[in-house]
Amino acid sequence: METQPLCPQLLVWRQIYTLLEEAYLQAAADGMPPPPPVFNMQSWSLSTFAHKQQRWAATCSWAEQYGFKQLIGELAADDLYDGD
């Protein structure tokens, strides 16, 4: 059985977060919350697979809701984390 990716690899996710955060700061729209925070190394290692998957889903939802989905783009297979 093939494992489904949970989210991007941490380094890739941090790069995406930087793009989203920059877009958020430039937009400076009233009432717009910042993007969901990305994990640091310690919280990455301590979080469950479900928590990683939920946080990534929240990030994608935030990006779509505020018009920044194009900043996430297509992720290559090597960019994805599947729990291994």
Side-chain angles (χ1 to χ4, degrees), residues 7 10 51:
C7 58
L10 183 56
H51 191 212

Side-chain angles (χ1 to χ4, degrees), residues 49-61:
F49 295 152
H51 191 212
K52 289 177 177 104
Q53 194 169 39
Q54 290 166 352
R55 179 80 60 91
W56 178 244
T59 299
C60 291
S61 293

Side-chain angles (χ1 to χ4, degrees), residues 1-59:
M1 181 166 87
E2 188 172 319
T3 305
Q4 291 292 330
L6 301 171
C7 58
Q9 296 284 350
L10 183 56
L11 179 61
V12 173
W13 193 340
R14 291 178 86 50
Q15 293 168 341
I16 292 168
Y17 176 81
T18 298
L19 293 173
L20 294 175
E21 184 178 44
E22 288 173 3
Y24 160 75
L25 293 172
Q26 288 179 0
D30 288 337
M32 180 191 298
V38 69
F39 295 97
N40 62 32
M41 285 299 290
Q42 182 177 8
S43 61
W44 176 266
S45 63
L46 295 175
S47 68
T48 65
F49 295 152
H51 191 212
K52 289 177 177 104
Q53 194 169 39
Q54 290 166 352
R55 179 80 60 91
W56 178 244
T59 299

